[in-house]
Amino acid sequence: RKNGERRGMPARGRKKAMNTETTSPPSGLASPSCSAFFACDSVTHEGQTNTWFTPQEIVTTLGPFDLDPCTQTFRPYDTAARHICEDAGECGLASKWEGRVWLNPPYGKAIPKWLGKLADHGNGIALAFSRTETAWGQAMIGRADAVNFLKGRIAFIRKDGKPSTNAGTGSMLLAFGRENVEAIKRLPGVIFMQNVRPLAPADNKTPTKQENV
C-alpha cells in the first residue's frame, strides 16, 4: 500500500473517497436551500443521495415552532406553522424569517450561511453535527446562547417516517434566545453556555471564596 491507501480499492476510488470524507461536502445537494440532512452514499452507489429528516419526537419536545425555513413538501410531518420548501422553488436563505425558528440545515459548504442567519435572527434552535473542529462550528458555538451536545447519535428518518440510518457522528443543538435555551435542556446531553447573561438584580449576591475559584 502507498500513502496509506486502502487495500482492495481501485485506484480511482481511493482519491474520490478521501476527498468526500475530508474536504468535499456531500454530493447531490441541489441548492443552498435544500432541506433536512443529506447523506452521501458510498462511491459504489455512484453518488446517489438519501434525504434524512429529524425524528418527530425531537421537534415535538423542543417545539412548537413558527417557521422551518429549510424543508421539503414531502416531509414526513410538519415541523412548524410555516414551511419554506426548496423543492417548491422557495429559498429559505433569501426569505424573511419571523417568530421561533426550527432549522435543520443541509450539511455542506452553505451551513455557515444558514446558521449565521439564525444567529442574526436571534430566536430559534438549529440541529447540526458536532463538528467542533471546524471554523463554522467554533464560530456558531461562540455565538449561540447555549449548546446541547446530544447524548448518543440521532437515528434519522426517511420521507415515509420510517427509520433510515444512524448518523455517523454526534449532533448538537444550538439555541438562540432564552426560550430556546430552556427548550434544549429537555433533551439528554451536555449543556454548554458561553454567553451567560448577568443575573437579575434580585438574584445577585456576593460570591463566596469557593465560587470565585
Side-chain angles (χ1 to χ4, degrees):
R1 291 180 289 178
K2 297 180 180 180
N3 298 325
E5 294 173 341
R6 297 179 184 177
R7 187 184 303 275
M9 291 182 65
R12 292 182 180 178
R14 293 167 184 158
K15 185 175 182 180
K16 185 174 183 180
M18 181 176 294
N19 287 339
T20 299
E21 294 171 0
T22 59
T23 60
S24 301
S27 62
L29 292 177
S31 75
S33 56
C34 290
S35 165
F37 163 66
F38 284 77
C40 183
D41 284 351
S42 67
V43 293
T44 59
H45 292 174
E46 299 181 352
Q48 296 178 3
T49 59
N50 296 311
T51 305
W52 298 347
F53 294 93
T54 309
Q56 186 171 3
E57 57 268 23
I58 292 179
V59 179
T60 300
T61 299
L62 299 172
F65 294 96
D66 300 305
L67 172 67
D68 183 343
C70 187
T71 190
Q72 306 276 17
T73 59
F74 55 82
R75 60 188 175 272
Y77 63 94
D78 288 342
T79 51
R82 177 189 168 213
H83 304 85
I84 299 176
C85 304
E86 180 271 339
D87 63 320
E90 301 170 337
C91 180
L93 284 175
S95 301
K96 183 179 180 180
W97 294 7
E98 295 180 337
R100 190 167 181 244
V101 173
W102 165 254
L103 178 64
N104 180 8
Y107 187 73
K109 291 182 178 180
I111 194 170
K113 296 180 180 180
W114 286 103
L115 296 178
K117 187 175 177 74
L118 181 59
D120 292 339
H121 178 65
N123 182 12
I125 297 174
L127 173 66
F129 283 147
S130 301
R131 298 297 193 190
T132 57
E133 80 283 6
T134 62
W136 65 262
Q138 294 189 10
M140 290 303 106
I141 290 172
R143 293 189 67 182
D145 292 312
V147 182
N148 184 343
F149 294 96
L150 294 171
K151 181 180 180 180
R153 295 179 179 179
I154 294 177
F156 289 90
I157 59 176
R158 300 192 301 258
K159 63 181 181 181
D160 59 5
K162 296 180 180 179
S164 176
T165 187
N166 188 289
T169 187
S171 298
M172 61 182 176
L173 293 169
L174 301 161
F176 301 89
R178 291 196 178 200
E179 178 183 359
N180 300 300
V181 169
E182 294 306 312
I184 66 171
K185 295 177 182 178
R186 300 170 193 157
L187 291 173
V190 176
I191 303 294
F192 171 79
M193 298 180 65
Q194 175 172 274
N195 302 322
V196 179
R197 293 181 173 86
L199 295 172
D203 295 330
N204 284 333
K205 64 178 182 178
T206 302
T208 65
K209 183 176 182 180
Q210 182 176 1
E211 291 171 331
N212 266 327
V213 174

